[in-house]
């Protein structure tokens, strides 16, 4: 029998359903998550199945919503909090950065906050500057928080379930342009370990480190490079905090070259951190400086022509690889 | 409305004295350089914490503010562990990682002092949500100031608590100043309680220097919450006898000595003791004995803290994650 396939968005809904089914003290709260099933469809059907006690529409009050999650988690529940677009994190950054991330530490370990925050990142849908950003490094920079970024339907479900089973606050940064992508997704409630990267293509000549939607672009770039006789290894980070440095470094020791690819702006993006770690741990193995492909230092534009110029893609990765290899 | 029994009156008095003596000695220790960092002392506002907390058990939750020692003491905090925390020792409630501004005790239902003005109300809403989700009759009380009532977080929390009919009580301790800015210069209203109307909940003003008035008013709001009738905004008019930070603070000329003296005439402990003596509940000598006993407890707490070890440097990275 062929493996069952679903879309990325259906996988999110399956993950959320599995969490509500297995954890009696869990609930989903956010803007439009109940009656509407989520503006992207991420929670479709959950209100009917679990009722308004467990699936809760909130006012448009991000700070209140995240604070609700912090207070509920500290007092024994396991909230799944939806922040519709990650661009809205500015509205709730105190509750994220000063409360959620630090409460356990400030209290000397006495508080445990098993919160899952689901949010949407990414451009490519003409949603312009305030609904298209990739702000994951904001969260990666905060000790106390974990961050995962699924690239496939399989990962979206498995990482969401892993996040909900984790006793720490975990941000699951979904990608809105991937919502209709299809892929194999088991019907069971499975979990993908947080903190482990996934080698999605093996190769000996170059390591492409990517996450979220850029994994697909990196794989396409690897195909294009293969036609030119270059075998690229593609590492899907899956987890950004904690970061699986060992898998990345092992790959670079084999290939001697690396390019980090992300949709977030290049400056002070995760690529800088990963490049630094590679040179710390594998300096002598490198045959070239670590390359970085990311968005330019600009807000996300609206018009399609500008947006495509803005976005990192297969062509830009291939060009960077050629420069690195030919240089 | 619940009339406090004689025992309860003595209990409230003791809570107030515990706060007053602890804070006075903590101020002394800070000025002597023994307590590092910033210390926001609760002296003058004791009737609020004591009057509210007399209704709560360890299973009820509170969120506090940067001026949080009084709330923790009234909720049952022990002097030795509290001083140890202020002194940055490993035996402190937060193992030396929180200090004055994050002092907390989960076992007592105290979700932390908080260095961010206005951060508490949304967390209290979460705790109230939690008790309702579990179908208990426990409540969550959020203490905050007149200054915090201008933060968006308060308004979002108030709206959500009323919308979901949560067992939350918002206790605004209006001490007339948001840090160093007088209320008239930071909001166009006189009664913060007026803001309750915007969220569909009752708003009540009470004399925050009158422990019995606070007890009775808070009792009604807490009972309402326990019965599932939703939140209340309770505004206690009070005053900070010490400065925003420390005792004498930075010597900024933002309020007059005359104003301070006027409020000191209404010292909540003096007024309460006069009343207790009048009622024959607690005589002058008995009150003095309470002060004496509490001072001895405070000194024992300081001794404990000073004898306690500092945290081992190896504990630096513990408890970042579970």
């Amino acid at each position: 029998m062929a493996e069952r396939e679903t879309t990325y968005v259906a996988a999110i809904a399956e993950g959320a359903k599995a969490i509500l089914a297995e954890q009696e003290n869990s609930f989903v709260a956010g803007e439009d998550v109940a009656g509407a099933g989520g503006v992207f469809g991420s929670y479709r059907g959950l209100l009917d199945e679990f009722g308004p006690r467990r699936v809760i529409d909130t006012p448009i009050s991000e700070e209140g919503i995240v604070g609700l999650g912090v207070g509920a988690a500290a007092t024994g529940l396991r909230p799944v909090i939806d922040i519709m677009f990650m661009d809205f994190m500015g509205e709730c950054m105190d509750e994220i950065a000063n409360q959620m991330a630090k409460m356990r530490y400030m209290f000397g370990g006495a508080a445990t906050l098993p919160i899952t925050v689901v949010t949407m990142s990414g451009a490519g849908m003409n949603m312009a500057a305030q609904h298209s950003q990739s702000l994951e490094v904001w969260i990666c920079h905060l000790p106390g928080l974990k961050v995962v970024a699924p690239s496939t339907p399989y990962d979206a479900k498995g990482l969401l379930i892993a996040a909900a089973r984790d006793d720490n606050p975990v941000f699951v940064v979904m990608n809105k342009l991937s919502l209709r992508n299809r892929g194999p997704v088991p019907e069971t409630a499975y979990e993908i370990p947080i903190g482990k990267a996934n080698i999605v293509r093996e190769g000996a000549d170059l390591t492409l480190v990517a996450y979220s939607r850029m994994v697909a672009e990196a794989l396409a770039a690897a195909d294009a490079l293969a036609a030119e006789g270059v075998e690229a290894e593609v590492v899907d980070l899956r987890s950004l905090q904690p970061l699986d440095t060992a898998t990345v470094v092992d790959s670079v020791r084999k290939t001697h070259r690396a390019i980090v690819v992300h949709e977030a702006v290049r400056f002070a993006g995760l690529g800088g951190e990963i490049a630094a770690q590679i040179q710390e741990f594998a300096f002598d193995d490198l045959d070239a400086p670590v390359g970085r492909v990311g968005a330019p230092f600009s807000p996300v534009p609206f018009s399609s022509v500008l947006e495509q110029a803005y976005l990192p893609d297969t062509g830009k990765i291939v060009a960077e690889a050629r420069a690195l290899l030919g240089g | 409305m619940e009339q406090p029994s004689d025992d309860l009156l003595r209990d409230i008095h003791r809570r107030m004295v515990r706060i007053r003596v602890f804070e006075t000695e903590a101020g002394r220790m800070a000025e002597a350089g023994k307590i590092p960092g910033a210390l926001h002392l609760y002296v003058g506002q004791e009737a609020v914490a004591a009057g509210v907390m007399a209704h709560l058990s360890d299973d009820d939750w509170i969120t506090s503010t940067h001026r949080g020692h009084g709330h923790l003491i009234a909720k049952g905090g022990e002097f030795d562990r509290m001083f140890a925390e202020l002194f940055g020792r490993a035996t402190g409630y937060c193992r030396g990682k929180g200090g004055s501004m994050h002092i907390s005790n989960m076992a007592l239902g105290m979700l932390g002092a908080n260095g961010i003005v206005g951060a508490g109300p949304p967390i209290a809403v979460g705790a109230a949500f939690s008790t309702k989700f579990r179908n208990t009759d426990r409540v969550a009380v959020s203490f905050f100031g007149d200054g915090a009532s201008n933060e968006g977080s308060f308004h979002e929390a108030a709206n959500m608590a009323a919308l979901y009919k949560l067992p939350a009580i918002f206790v605004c301790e209006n001490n007339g100043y948001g840090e160093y800015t007088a209320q008239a210069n930071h909001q166009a209203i006189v009664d913060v309680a007026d803001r309750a109307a915007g969220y569909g909940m009752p708003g009540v003003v009470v004399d925050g220097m009158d422990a019995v008035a606070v007890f009775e008013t808070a009792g009604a709001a807490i009972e309402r919450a326990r019965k599932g009738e939703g939140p209340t905004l309770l505004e206690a008019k009070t005053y900070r006898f010490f400065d925003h930070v420390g005792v004498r603070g930075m010597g900024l000329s933002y309020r007059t000595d005359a104003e301070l003296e006027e409020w000191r005439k209404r010292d909540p402990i003096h007024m309460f003791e006069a009343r207790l003596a009048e009622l024959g509940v607690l005589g002058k000598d008995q009150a003095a004995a309470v002060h004496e006993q509490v001072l001895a407890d405070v000194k024992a707490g300081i001794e404990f803290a000073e004898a306690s070890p500092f945290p081992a440097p190896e504990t630096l990275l513990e408890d970042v994650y579970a």
Side-chain angles (χ1 to χ4, degrees), chain B residues 77-160:
Chain B
E78 299 287 345
F79 290 161
D80 49 0
R81 304 284 309 279
M82 287 186 68
F83 272 117
E85 189 58 36
L86 300 189
F87 279 65
R89 306 300 166 117
T91 52
Y93 272 138
C94 307
R95 302 171 67 207
K97 285 180 169 159
S100 168
M101 268 193 286
H102 309 297
I103 200 160
S104 59
N105 187 293
M106 297 295 285
L108 294 171
M110 201 285 195
L111 286 161
N114 209 311
I116 305 297
V117 171
I123 297 173
V125 165
F129 177 90
S130 193
T131 67
K132 186 175 180 182
F133 187 92
R134 265 180 257 267
N135 232 333
T136 72
D137 67 348
R138 298 297 94 189
V139 301
V141 179
S142 181
F143 293 92
F144 59 99
D146 48 303
S149 77
N150 296 329
E151 289 278 10
S153 54
F154 160 70
H155 296 269
E156 294 189 16
N159 181 53
M160 288 172 77

Side-chain angles (χ1 to χ4, degrees), chain A residues 194-198 235-237 239-250 277:
Chain A
I194 294 171
K196 282 296 294 174
N198 187 24
V235 177
D236 178 354
L237 288 174
S239 171
L240 311 183
Q241 181 58 264
L243 190 65
D244 185 1
T245 302
T247 296
V248 173
V249 167
D250 285 350
Q277 294 206 16

Side-chain angles (χ1 to χ4, degrees), chain B residues 252-267:
Chain B
L252 305 176
S253 56
Y254 66 99
R255 62 181 190 184
T256 63
D257 290 344
E259 178 184 292
L260 177 60
E261 283 320 305
E262 273 310 301
W263 278 93
R264 276 192 182 278
K265 287 179 194 160
R266 304 195 67 244
D267 183 310

Side-chain angles (χ1 to χ4, degrees), chain A residues 201 205-206 221-232 321 325:
Chain A
R201 177 189 174 117
D205 303 326
L206 166 70
D223 283 344
L225 290 166
E228 299 172 15
V230 174
E231 287 305 322
L325 290 154

Side-chain angles (χ1 to χ4, degrees), chain A residues 121-125 132 134 175-177 213 263 300 307 310-311:
Chain A
S121 70
M125 296 172 76
S132 302
S134 297
N175 178 268
K176 62 179 88 72
L177 202 57
R213 193 174 68 79
E263 193 180 316
V300 182
E307 192 176 32
Y310 170 92
L311 278 172

Side-chain angles (χ1 to χ4, degrees), chain B residues 273-293:
Chain B
E273 286 178 351
R275 184 160 174 178
L276 293 178
E278 208 174 292
L279 292 169
V281 171
L282 192 77
K284 213 175 166 189
D285 292 349
Q286 289 168 296
V290 172
H291 283 263
E292 211 170 297
Q293 178 59 52

